[in-house]
Structure formats: C-alpha cells, structure tokens
Amino acid sequence: HQSSSENKMIRHHQKSITTCPSEYVAQMAKNRSHQVATDFFIEPSEEQCSLYQADVINAIRSQDIDTLRKMHSAGRTLQCSNRFGESLLHMACRRGFTQVVEFLIHEADVSVRVCDDYGRNPLHDACWTMEPNFDLMELLIAEEPELLFMSDKRGHTPMKYVRREHWPQWNKFIKSKESMFR
C-alpha cells in the first residue's frame, strides 16, 4: 500500500517522462510575458556572408579557440553566416562546443539573436544533439532567454528538437533552472 506522498512522487516522475520539454517550459512560463520585437533577429550582411569561409569554419569544427581569437584580434568579425543564415554560432551549438560558444559570445561579441532561413536559432541547434548539453543550454538561455520561446517555420520551439529518450533529463534540468524560464 502506497502513501499519498509516494503516489504524488510517482505521478510527477511519470509526468516528467511523458511530457515534452517544450510543453513543460510553456507550463512553467505561462504567466511570463514574452513579446518579441519584429526586428529581434539580426540580418546577416553581404560582408558577414562573405566572411563565412573555410578557415573560420575549420577553426570552429576543430574547436581551435586560439585561431578564432587571433582572427578576432586581427579585426575579423566572427558574426558571419552562410547564405542560408546558418551562423558559426549555430554550427558550434549543433556540435555541442560549449567553450567555442562561450568564446564567440563573451570574447568575440557574437550576437545570439541569429536565425537561419528556416527560422531556427542557436537554441534549436543546441537541442538537436545526440546527448543533452545542459551547460551550453544554460549559457545560451542566460544570454537570451527569449530564444527558448521562438518557433521555427514549422512552428517548433527549440525544446521540440530534443530526443524523446532524454525528456526526463531535460525536464529535470528545466525544473532545476525554473527561475530562468520566468
């Protein structure tokens, strides 16, 4: 025979397994007002697209922060993207490169307010990984929490991209960072 507190714990555990993290975030933030300006995302310029070259892409892929730092120190902007709007930040997030993302945001002054032509922002890519990277998510959410509520062209917010088998871990993370979602 189970006590009512045990039953409550079981129901909460079952809910964390069966609730999509995007719904969990929406429930937690339902009283939060998050209207976004129409000019929220920055549009990449032709110059920024022209700077999306093999050398900087390879530095991101190899997590070569020293090379990225030298490029930035020499005056090269790292706020660049390909013609589809996919930025260096998108790439680093998709690969789970937390230190590279931290460098891009905090040292190279790269804005997280970027989206590709499909409407995906860096949080979409951070969620679209084989394994959860909660340090990366916390970094991005702390920088710009509004990204969590932005839908892509299919109507999916970033949390819709997390793998179902990781829902309990994501929900536990969300619960532990509840103040960030308000």
Side-chain angles (χ1 to χ4, degrees):
H1 190 265
Q2 295 176 332
S3 71
S4 68
S5 63
E6 287 173 324
N7 283 335
K8 190 176 180 181
M9 278 182 28
I10 290 170
R11 282 193 307 275
H12 177 73
H13 176 70
Q14 289 171 334
K15 184 178 179 182
S16 75
I17 292 172
T18 59
T19 302
C20 177
S22 65
E23 295 169 22
Y24 205 61
V25 168
Q27 289 169 8
M28 293 176 69
K30 64 184 168 196
N31 296 328
R32 183 177 190 266
S33 105
H34 51 272
Q35 291 185 335
V36 178
T38 54
D39 61 347
F40 180 83
F41 291 111
I42 61 168
E43 291 288 327
S45 67
E46 283 187 37
E47 178 192 6
Q48 290 169 336
C49 289
S50 72
L51 293 172
Y52 189 84
Q53 297 172 355
D55 60 343
V56 72
I57 292 167
N58 290 334
I60 295 287
R61 288 181 178 158
S62 63
Q63 300 181 70
D64 188 349
I65 294 174
D66 288 338
T67 296
L68 292 167
R69 189 172 281 122
K70 287 175 188 168
M71 290 175 176
H72 178 65
S73 293
R76 183 170 179 176
T77 182
L78 299 179
Q79 184 78 54
C80 55
S81 63
N82 65 20
R83 62 189 174 102
F84 303 108
E86 181 186 317
S87 68
L88 298 176
L89 189 58
H90 281 90
M91 183 187 306
C93 287
R94 188 174 325 110
R95 293 166 185 260
F97 296 164
T98 306
Q99 291 179 320
V100 172
V101 171
E102 191 168 16
F103 165 78
L104 289 172
I105 294 170
H106 293 139
E107 286 187 51
D109 298 318
V110 170
S111 174
V112 298
R113 291 182 168 204
V114 292
C115 70
D116 64 17
D117 63 347
Y118 214 67
R120 291 179 296 235
N121 68 58
L123 272 178
H124 285 92
D125 286 291
C127 288
W128 195 15
T129 57
M130 294 295 289
E131 293 295 325
N133 185 333
F134 301 120
D135 292 336
L136 177 58
M137 286 298 290
E138 189 168 354
L139 172 67
L140 292 166
I141 293 167
E143 189 67 25
E144 188 56 72
E146 295 302 321
L147 293 177
L148 197 58
F149 305 98
M150 304 279 182
S151 296
D152 64 15
K153 289 188 177 179
R154 295 186 317 167
H156 296 309
T157 59
M159 287 290 179
K160 283 278 192 181
Y161 281 75
V162 303
R163 293 172 171 258
R164 186 179 189 96
E165 64 263 26
H166 297 136
W167 284 6
Q169 295 163 277
W170 280 105
N171 289 333
K172 184 178 178 182
F173 167 75
I174 292 164
K175 181 134 181 77
S176 75
K177 304 297 179 191
E178 190 171 348
S179 64
M180 293 177 79
F181 301 98
R182 294 186 183 266

